[in-house]
Amino acid sequence: MTPYEIKQNDSVSDDVVWHNSTVTHEDRAKQKNQKPVVLWFTGLSGSGKSTVANAVESKLLSLGKHSYLLDGDNVRHGLNKDLGFSDQDRVENIRRIGEVAKLFVDSGAIVLTAFISPFIADRTQVRELLSEDQFLEVFIDTPLEVCEQRDPKGLYKKARAGEIKHFTGIDSEYQAPINAEIHVKTANKSIEECAEQIVSALITKEYI
């Protein structure tokens, strides 16, 4: 077992005790005048996750809301720089992000996470870390052929040439959400329209 592999039955030592803070989750949320939640963006590489999430965060800022965007590439520069792209590493990548997102929610923030997160089981595991109303799955639904046409980083071209292994949508499976709370079809929408759809959903669901 490598240092970052954690089995389902691993448990925290009895010597590690949870310390409750005098300032509560409710206190932090009230201070920020919002309902903390994780907006879990999922979709293929090139689908527009990071771009749309950035646009949503900008809109939230303009509304005076407190948010933070956890981007897949950015997190791999630090917290998860020891992980590769095998299925096993992808699982651990999402597990860690789920724990970080949970801390941000406890701080009272609206958390946006932009990760491919290809497996339903892993997204479900993150959902189960949080209260029922603290997780909204945002499916950035873009057809594979559109993602390949965009290919902003040239990754699909490399994957098709065999230069990148375990690439989602090519030689590694992507399991699309079945009942995402917010379903954004980007192929025929502008970034502005996609972001507006998500912010409108947050207003309708009374998070902001």
Side-chain angles (χ1 to χ4, degrees):
M1 178 179 290
T2 57
Y4 54 82
E5 290 177 43
I6 297 181
K7 298 181 294 185
Q8 289 291 87
N9 62 352
D10 282 349
S11 59
V12 176
S13 167
D14 291 337
D15 296 325
V16 179
V17 180
W18 185 270
H19 290 270
N20 290 314
S21 173
T22 302
V23 178
T24 67
H25 166 73
E26 289 75 18
D27 291 333
R28 300 182 192 106
K30 184 177 180 181
Q31 180 193 49
K32 295 174 176 61
N33 190 32
Q34 62 190 32
K35 188 175 178 180
V37 65
V38 174
L39 294 175
W40 192 275
F41 290 71
T42 178
L44 293 168
S45 177
S47 61
K49 297 180 300 299
S50 294
T51 304
V52 174
N54 267 290
V56 171
E57 188 177 35
S58 293
K59 285 182 174 293
L60 291 174
L61 180 65
S62 69
L63 293 171
K65 303 305 176 182
H66 297 252
S67 65
Y68 193 82
L69 171 59
L70 294 167
D71 179 79
D73 282 355
N74 293 355
V75 170
R76 282 184 176 273
H77 278 279
L79 177 66
N80 292 348
K81 66 180 179 181
D82 58 323
L83 300 178
F85 291 90
S86 66
D87 286 355
Q88 189 173 19
D89 280 6
R90 287 174 184 271
V91 169
E92 175 61 9
N93 184 56
I94 297 308
R95 187 196 70 80
R96 293 184 193 179
I97 295 309
E99 293 289 352
V100 172
K102 180 180 178 180
L103 292 175
F104 271 100
V105 166
D106 190 48
S107 78
I110 294 172
V111 191
L112 302 89
T113 70
F115 296 83
I116 294 173
S117 49
F119 306 123
I120 291 174
D122 300 334
R123 300 194 299 266
T124 299
Q125 185 177 17
V126 175
R127 183 188 291 272
E128 291 174 350
L129 284 173
L130 300 152
S131 298
E132 186 176 352
D133 61 349
Q134 291 179 341
F135 184 96
L136 296 177
E137 190 172 42
V138 183
F139 181 23
I140 303 300
D141 186 0
T142 308
L144 176 61
E145 57 270 24
V146 174
C147 293
E148 286 203 68
Q149 288 169 7
R150 294 174 178 173
D151 202 12
K153 303 174 186 176
L155 299 178
Y156 282 101
K157 184 177 180 179
K158 290 181 179 179
R160 292 291 188 188
E163 297 174 23
I164 299 178
K165 303 296 183 184
H166 310 296
F167 193 81
T168 303
I170 304 300
D171 59 352
S172 185
E173 182 182 12
Y174 177 74
Q175 299 172 350
I178 298 172
N179 291 303
E181 282 82 5
I182 304 175
H183 189 165
V184 183
K185 296 185 178 182
T186 69
N188 298 309
K189 285 186 176 181
S190 67
I191 298 302
E192 174 69 19
E193 290 171 329
C194 292
E196 187 58 42
Q197 178 186 342
I198 295 166
V199 171
S200 293
L202 290 177
I203 294 172
T204 299
K205 297 175 183 293
E206 299 183 341
Y207 285 94
I208 59 176

